[in-house]
Amino acid sequence: MTLPRVRFAPSPTGYLHVGGLRTALYNYLFAKKHGGTFVLRIEDTDQTRLVEGAVKNLIEVLEWAGLTPDESPELNGKGGGAFGPYVQSKRLEIYKRHCEILVKSGNAYHCFSTAEELEEVRKLQQKQGLQPKYNRKWLPESLGGGAPESEIKRRLDAGEPHAIRMKVPDNRIIKVEDIVRGTVEFASETIDDQVLMKSDGFPTYHLANVVDDHLMQITHVIRGEEWLSSTPKHVLLYEFFGAAAEPQDNWAPPLFAHLPLLLNPDRTKLSKRQGDVAVEDYRAKGYSKEALINFVALLGWNEGGGSEQEIFSMDELVEKFSLEHVGKSGAVFNIEKLDWVEQQHIKRSTDAVLAAKIKPMLLDALKNKSAELPVEVITGDLYLEQVAAQMKERVNFISEFITFSSYFFFEPETYEPEAVKKRWTPETNALLTEFGLQLEAVQPFAAAEIEAALKTFAESKGLKPAALVHPLRLSTTGTSFGPSLYHLMEIIGKDACMRRIKRAALRITADAVPS
Ligand code: GLU
């Protein structure tokens, strides 16, 4: 097979929708799996929907997700490719030329109907219970319509504003071959004479999309199901162009794969109203790209062959992805599942990988808060890997390594009041102070030695270790739960432990302690 060329062709609406991320991902996976090319093309022919900075933002988000295109709009000296420009508003001449071919071959015609007239026709059809469709008022006599050629010519010569519409053939069944859905048939009667070129000189999506897919040598069109109903129009356009072209210019349509709808948990179409839909929202909430990509990959695809694997790395997805295992039925976007995938990725990551992710977040946190231990120590790989090892079973997000276990980096400022009430007795201060002093002699300051010291001390006082363990955790971390106390003490080190025990004894004053 020739190497596939696929494209992600979003309109620049200002943010990347999670559905768009899925489309981009499936295109990317398909291209990478087969050694093909992943193209990013910006479809900005609807100038009323333009958003400043949208393209830059889109490219940035795709790169963050690891879906860097092989060909894309040129921006800041990056991108480009042999089939550019990759922004449709920079290709207007190309569309104009192609539209003229269709007019010449009798597959398209000029339409002078005004917006008001069209609206009236639409209302009337609605009243009559008919499907709204252009009434072909300007279909020329030469194409079987009622508009005299002389009147069309007169208006064109006078420079009257007009659109150009495709002439959909009558009494035809148009077949769309779709990899996901099989053969889908459309009766031509149900298809409108679609506007191809608007009066402002901009093409519509349909014309630009087909022309670009052809010129950019796209082999597979992988896109959302909402475009399926447009596809018969596209199939006709390929046919029209093919009939008018030289034999060596092959206008055979690409292969189509329409991806299932994304649904809210109540099975309505995924919408902003029921939650976040922008990739950036999930990124800002702290989801990792690995988890988001994994989760989105499962929205419509499964490995098949009875596999129950749900956690995949990008490399595994590239290896295992196939369009044959994309399903037809809508895929529910379930946040609890995303959270689970995120946790699984954290659990399976090596300590070194986690340390590298924690570090930038910690550096950020250190801008607003000063650390207790030297910054070069707590931001060092070794330290962060130890924190990762202790906490990775306990956190749901990378950011929680810092928020849930801030005591690895910052001195506790508060002590859980409930735990103080429960665990602190009037004797605790004296006991902990005494034990704190004994820590000086623990050598090496490692989990096993700290544990042994605590047990010996408790025994000498006729106490159970628990009588000391709980207040010790409170004084060193401010919390009543967490990873192994002895390990965390080893990580934060002797000096910090001794200092924290002293400070807690001063801060947890008698009035906080029930007598
Ligand atoms: N511009 C369309 C969109 O915004 C592209 C559809 C297609 O891939 O053909 O999704």
Side-chain angles (χ1 to χ4, degrees), residues 62-369:
L62 284 177
E63 273 184 10
W64 169 78
L67 307 179
T68 305
D70 302 306
E71 295 173 22
S72 62
E74 281 182 52
L75 205 75
N76 304 329
K78 280 174 43 193
F83 298 84
Y86 294 91
V87 178
Q88 290 188 327
S89 57
K90 294 188 179 158
R91 302 171 63 84
L92 299 184
E93 268 311 304
I94 299 174
Y95 308 128
K96 191 162 168 255
R97 209 166 65 229
H98 280 82
C99 202
E100 278 161 12
I101 296 173
L102 297 182
V103 174
K104 230 194 223 151
S105 62
N107 294 119
Y109 59 96
H110 302 98
C111 167
F112 298 92
S113 296
T114 62
E116 293 74 35
E117 279 172 29
L118 293 173
E119 182 56 21
E120 247 167 61
V121 171
R122 203 182 58 84
K123 276 192 184 145
L124 192 70
Q125 287 169 334
Q126 256 175 351
K127 235 190 228 163
Q128 296 168 333
L130 300 170
Q131 184 198 346
K133 237 176 116 179
Y134 181 53
N135 63 359
R136 291 192 160 169
K137 176 175 174 194
W138 287 98
L139 184 68
E141 285 171 343
S142 59
L143 296 182
E149 318 287 335
S150 56
E151 178 61 11
I152 298 170
K153 183 169 182 318
R154 189 189 68 74
R155 291 193 180 223
L156 286 176
D157 290 345
E160 275 195 30
H162 61 273
I164 296 176
R165 289 180 183 270
M166 70 190 282
K167 159 120 190 343
V168 174
D170 299 321
N171 303 319
R172 277 265 314 264
I173 295 293
I174 297 138
K175 285 188 185 175
V176 172
E177 303 296 343
D178 190 278
I179 298 172
V180 176
R181 305 176 167 265
T183 307
V184 189
E185 297 190 344
F186 297 84
S188 63
E189 281 59 48
T190 62
I191 302 170
D192 202 3
D193 276 2
Q194 177 67 51
V195 171
L196 300 176
M197 188 65 86
K198 295 174 281 186
S199 55
D200 62 2
F202 276 83
T204 55
Y205 153 72
H206 307 277
L207 176 69
N209 191 269
V210 165
V211 168
D212 285 349
D213 282 346
H214 173 72
L215 295 179
M216 294 180 182
Q217 298 181 9
I218 297 303
T219 56
H220 296 72
V221 166
I222 304 167
R223 62 185 170 199
E225 184 181 297
E226 61 273 31
W227 304 103
L228 180 63
S229 59
S230 298
T231 310
K233 293 175 187 168
H234 302 176
V235 168
L236 283 174
L237 290 175
Y238 283 105
E239 187 183 307
F240 298 160
F241 282 122
E246 300 294 330
Q248 68 273 17
D249 187 8
N250 180 5
W251 277 84
L255 296 172
F256 294 101
H258 287 93
L259 310 177
L261 284 180
L262 296 189
L263 307 174
N264 294 308
D266 65 2
R267 299 200 75 83
T268 54
K269 196 175 161 197
L270 185 67
S271 68
K272 261 193 219 173
R273 250 168 284 140
Q274 296 201 24
D276 291 320
V277 291
V279 172
E280 281 145 291
D281 293 335
Y282 291 95
R283 184 181 170 185
K285 282 185 182 164
Y287 289 98
S288 65
K289 64 178 180 181
E290 290 82 1
L292 198 57
I293 286 289
N294 185 161
F295 169 70
V296 161
L298 300 177
L299 295 172
W301 170 83
N302 63 71
E303 195 189 342
S307 161
E308 290 188 356
Q309 184 175 346
E310 292 202 278
I311 301 301
F312 297 92
S313 67
M314 184 70 111
D315 287 346
E316 283 174 301
L317 288 171
V318 169
E319 186 197 321
K320 298 184 168 175
F321 182 77
S322 88
L323 287 172
E324 281 66 35
H325 286 121
V326 172
K328 282 202 261 291
S329 49
V332 174
F333 191 93
N334 182 335
I335 299 286
E336 286 88 55
K337 176 83 179 264
L338 171 59
D339 287 346
W340 177 79
V341 172
E342 180 72 48
Q343 279 168 36
Q344 297 304 312
H345 274 269
I346 290 177
K347 279 191 186 146
R348 286 159 202 235
S349 294
T350 62
D351 299 339
V353 162
L354 293 172
K357 288 184 176 183
I358 301 168
K359 188 169 175 168
M361 288 194 194
L362 178 59
L363 288 172
D364 234 27
L366 284 166
K367 285 183 193 151
N368 305 318
K369 222 172 171 188

Side-chain angles (χ1 to χ4, degrees), residues 427-449:
E427 295 76 44
T428 306
N429 273 350
L431 265 176
L432 274 193
T433 307
E434 197 182 334
F435 177 64
L437 292 174
Q438 296 210 355
L439 285 178
E440 181 75 69
V442 176
Q443 207 57 279
F445 197 74
E449 284 72 12

Side-chain angles (χ1 to χ4, degrees), residues 253 337 381 495:
K337 176 83 179 264
D381 293 344
D495 290 351

